[in-house]
Amino acid sequence: MKHITLSNSSLKELADRVAVPNYNRENIKTGIVHVGVGGFHRAHQAMYLDQLLHDKANANWGICGVALLSFDQKIYDTLKAQDGLYTLVVKELDGTLTKRVIGSITEYLFAPDNPKAVIQKMANPDVKIITLTITEGGYNLNEATGEFNLENPQIIHDSKNATTPKTIFGYLTQALKLRKENNSGAVTLLSCDNIEGNGAVAKKMLSAYVRFVEPDLLPWIEANVSFPNSMVDRITPATVASDIAELKNVSGIEDQWPVVCESFQQWVVEDNFIAGRPNLESVGVQFVTDVEPFEKMKLGLLNAGHSVVGILGSLLGYNTIDEAISHPEIGTFLANYLDNEVTPTLHDLEGVDLPKYKKTLIARFSNIYIKDQVDRICSETSAKIPKFILPTVQAQLKLNGTITNAAFIIAAWAIYCLGVNEKNEKINIKDALSDTLFAKAILATDNPKIFIENEEVFGKLSQSAVFSEAYSKAYQDITTFGIEKCLIALNSKLLK
């Protein structure tokens, strides 16, 4: 089989092997700037836009991707060489592969090389929406105070170097300032990150930075920028070498960075677009007046569930999520946690079959063809725990509900942060707070409560006697009996 390198010029030839864009990409005008072109964006938002662009009436909604960090050099170089094209490979539960080339990213900028170009693109009057997937840690939120962290060295840098920013807040501030000066019109800032109230958080954090550096710009932002909340859902593991090789061997496509994902997809968005929006409902996006119930469901069930399986699986020596969830005690523990601790905190989920959704989650985690790496799921857990698990804990404490399993998860994480699993193998911890977490974890071996006194992660949770007692008991049980025996005991008790 002839191997074909992915590019604009090869699309016609590729059409015999795989679905490709049947719209003229040269005629697409950029209407959206997206910051953070990683696997998830390419499996989700860019995929929806690609479907939409097949209707010529939507030719004004192409995407300009922005690689914000120096770390993004590789993905930028790869996509630039492929004219922004990439292959999306959907892995079904039965192993079937559905492949298509996505063409909605028609421009791509590398911010560290040309910050001025990024600012100007964001300020272009044709751009009506700026979308973000910058991860939970990208919002510069101090979990202890709930406020913007003005002491971040990069924030201090941006405040002194307006034309060469390093953070999303520096770029957005200068772009919005330029839009105001050029009368470029209103714009929507749409966060697609796994944060409850992501739009509200984006507005609060940006406003705090603008108040610090450009306070006169605040009234214009209030009148000309909207911040819809959104909920996004699709499991997208990191692309590995075998994915690239399989695509090449099976389809003859030379794609240096394809994206693999599950078949499930969901995007729920608050319909609050001040400068207009594409009719994404025609390709399955759900627009609602209130996203909050859907966010709580997804963060508390799917995202928290992923972290639960990842942490417990890592301590037991598993490498992938499907392997970990196949352990019967982990699967039962997760189901009990979702039913007994998360579900009581959820409400107003119109049109959602919650029992079915939870069963679907277990099936999605069990997909043996996805092979989502445990260390990817556990990366930056210090930013995920406050968003995915602590809201359930706090809600259950107010309801006088059970927090037994949640406390066990936090205790397991404290032990995980020691960096060694129960097979005495090193755990590859990827976390911005890894040094702090390790230091707290060491101290916790003598006094477990020290770990949850880290207010940067847990806020004031350690002051709850109910939670502290449950957490300390779980910690002592794990260190005494090990994860598996504790899970068996917990699961048996919950099933009575």
Side-chain angles (χ1 to χ4, degrees):
M1 179 186 296
K2 178 184 176 182
H3 292 163
I4 302 174
T5 301
L6 200 56
S7 68
N8 279 334
S9 60
S10 67
L11 283 179
K12 287 185 179 179
E13 192 175 4
L14 282 167
D16 292 333
R17 305 182 185 184
V18 65
V20 300
N22 64 13
Y23 49 88
N24 188 337
R25 299 180 76 227
E26 294 182 358
N27 293 337
I28 301 301
K29 183 184 292 185
T30 295
I32 300 171
V33 170
H34 180 80
V35 182
V37 183
F40 183 75
H41 168 71
R42 294 193 289 149
H44 201 269
Q45 296 94 5
M47 177 274 303
Y48 279 111
L49 267 299
D50 177 76
Q51 293 180 36
L52 195 72
L53 291 175
H54 284 83
D55 178 353
K56 293 180 180 179
N58 294 297
N60 291 338
W61 294 109
I63 300 170
C64 173
V66 173
L68 192 70
L69 308 175
S70 298
F71 175 80
D72 299 322
Q73 179 82 56
K74 182 180 178 181
I75 182 83
Y76 170 78
D77 289 343
T78 300
L79 286 181
K80 196 70 175 177
Q82 296 180 177
D83 297 325
L85 297 165
Y86 61 92
T87 313
L88 182 65
V89 181
V90 179
K91 296 189 174 183
E92 308 285 352
L93 285 170
D94 63 1
T96 303
L97 301 182
T98 303
K99 301 179 286 291
R100 70 176 303 112
V101 174
I102 303 297
S104 53
I105 302 175
T106 54
E107 294 184 79
Y108 204 4
L109 300 173
F110 187 55
D113 277 358
N114 197 343
K116 182 178 179 180
V118 172
I119 292 169
Q120 289 178 335
K121 177 56 69 173
M122 289 179 169
N124 190 302
D126 291 335
V127 171
K128 308 299 183 184
I129 302 172
I130 299 172
T131 58
L132 309 175
T133 49
I134 55 175
T135 77
E136 298 83 5
Y139 289 81
N140 196 46
L141 175 67
N142 184 319
E143 290 296 337
T145 64
E147 302 300 324
F148 190 77
N149 180 15
L150 289 170
E151 297 178 359
N152 182 334
Q154 290 193 322
I155 295 298
I156 294 172
H157 168 275
D158 284 7
S159 70
K160 297 177 180 179
N161 301 274
T163 59
T164 56
K166 293 184 177 180
T167 73
I168 184 61
F169 303 103
Y171 278 99
L172 288 173
T173 299
Q174 294 310 308
L176 296 177
K177 181 180 179 182
L178 189 58
R179 290 187 81 96
K180 176 186 176 184
E181 292 172 352
N182 294 346
N183 196 26
S184 297
V187 67
T188 296
L189 183 61
L190 176 61
S191 169
C192 301
D193 283 298
N194 287 318
I195 299 174
E196 187 174 344
N198 51 16
V201 170
K203 180 178 182 179
K204 180 179 179 180
M205 297 300 103
L206 177 62
S207 297
Y209 179 77
V210 173
R211 190 176 296 113
F212 179 48
V213 297
E214 294 279 357
D216 293 343
L217 185 59
L218 281 172
W220 186 91
I221 291 176
E222 188 64 35
N224 293 278
V225 184
S226 63
F227 299 82
N229 293 308
S230 71
M231 185 273 273
V232 292
D233 189 356
R234 188 171 222 183
I235 295 173
T236 308
T239 302
V240 295
S242 60
D243 295 319
I244 298 171
E246 182 178 31
L247 181 62
K248 180 177 178 179
N249 294 334
V250 174
S251 302
I253 299 174
E254 294 266 12
D255 184 343
Q256 297 308 306
W257 208 320
V259 180
V260 298
C261 64
E262 64 170 342
S263 58
F264 185 92
Q265 61 191 51
Q266 187 178 25
W267 193 6
V268 183
V269 189
E270 179 186 357
D271 202 354
N272 177 25
F273 289 74
I274 195 169
R277 64 169 176 80
N279 63 325
L280 285 163
E281 57 266 57
S282 68
V283 291
V285 179
Q286 184 178 358
F287 288 92
V288 299
T289 55
D290 185 10
V291 175
E292 182 181 6
F294 300 91
E295 290 175 331
K296 284 182 177 292
M297 177 189 76
K298 193 252 181 172
L299 295 173
L301 296 175
L302 180 134
N303 294 115
H306 247 155
S307 291
V308 169
V309 177
I311 292 167
L312 299 181
S314 181
L315 285 172
L316 288 173
Y318 291 109
N319 294 316
T320 63
I321 292 297
D322 65 288
E323 293 171 349
I325 196 69
S326 71
H327 189 297
E329 299 301 335
I330 291 181
T332 301
F333 176 90
L334 176 62
N336 288 332
Y337 170 67
L338 299 182
D339 287 343
N340 299 321
E341 300 186 23
V342 182
T343 298
T345 71
L346 304 178
H347 57 85
D348 298 331
L349 290 167
E350 184 177 348
V352 175
D353 184 336
L354 201 53
K356 181 179 179 181
Y357 181 83
K358 287 185 286 188
K359 287 182 180 179
T360 301
L361 278 186
I362 303 298
R364 293 166 64 189
F365 291 167
S366 302
N367 189 335
I368 63 173
Y369 302 100
I370 290 293
K371 293 297 176 190
D372 210 351
Q373 296 296 310
V374 162
D375 65 354
R376 184 190 82 86
I377 294 300
C378 292
S379 67
E380 304 303 334
T381 297
S382 65
K384 294 174 180 177
I385 290 284
K387 305 294 187 301
F388 302 162
I389 294 176
L390 297 191
T392 292
V393 171
Q394 291 153 354
Q396 282 291 82
L397 288 173
K398 288 182 181 179
L399 293 169
N400 292 319
T402 178
I403 44 83
T404 302
N405 280 24
F408 186 86
I409 296 160
I410 300 302
W413 183 47
I415 294 166
Y416 166 95
C417 289
L418 290 169
V420 180
N421 67 23
E422 292 189 349
K423 293 182 177 181
N424 204 32
E425 299 166 336
K426 183 178 179 181
I427 296 173
N428 181 24
I429 295 178
K430 304 173 184 176
D431 201 298
L433 299 182
S434 58
D435 291 343
T436 300
L437 294 170
F438 179 72
K440 295 285 186 183
I442 289 290
L443 295 173
T445 58
D446 290 325
N447 180 2
K449 191 177 177 182
I450 288 176
F451 189 79
I452 61 170
E453 289 174 347
N454 181 1
E455 293 190 1
E456 189 173 0
V457 176
F458 296 101
K460 304 293 183 180
L461 185 59
S462 65
Q463 296 178 11
S464 166
V466 173
F467 182 82
S468 292
E469 182 179 345
Y471 157 81
S472 296
K473 181 182 184 304
Y475 189 100
Q476 296 293 357
D477 286 346
I478 294 171
T479 55
T480 302
F481 304 109
I483 289 289
E484 186 171 54
K485 287 184 178 179
C486 288
L487 289 176
I488 292 171
L490 277 173
N491 292 341
S492 298
K493 183 177 180 180
L494 286 169
L495 288 172
K496 285 184 179 179

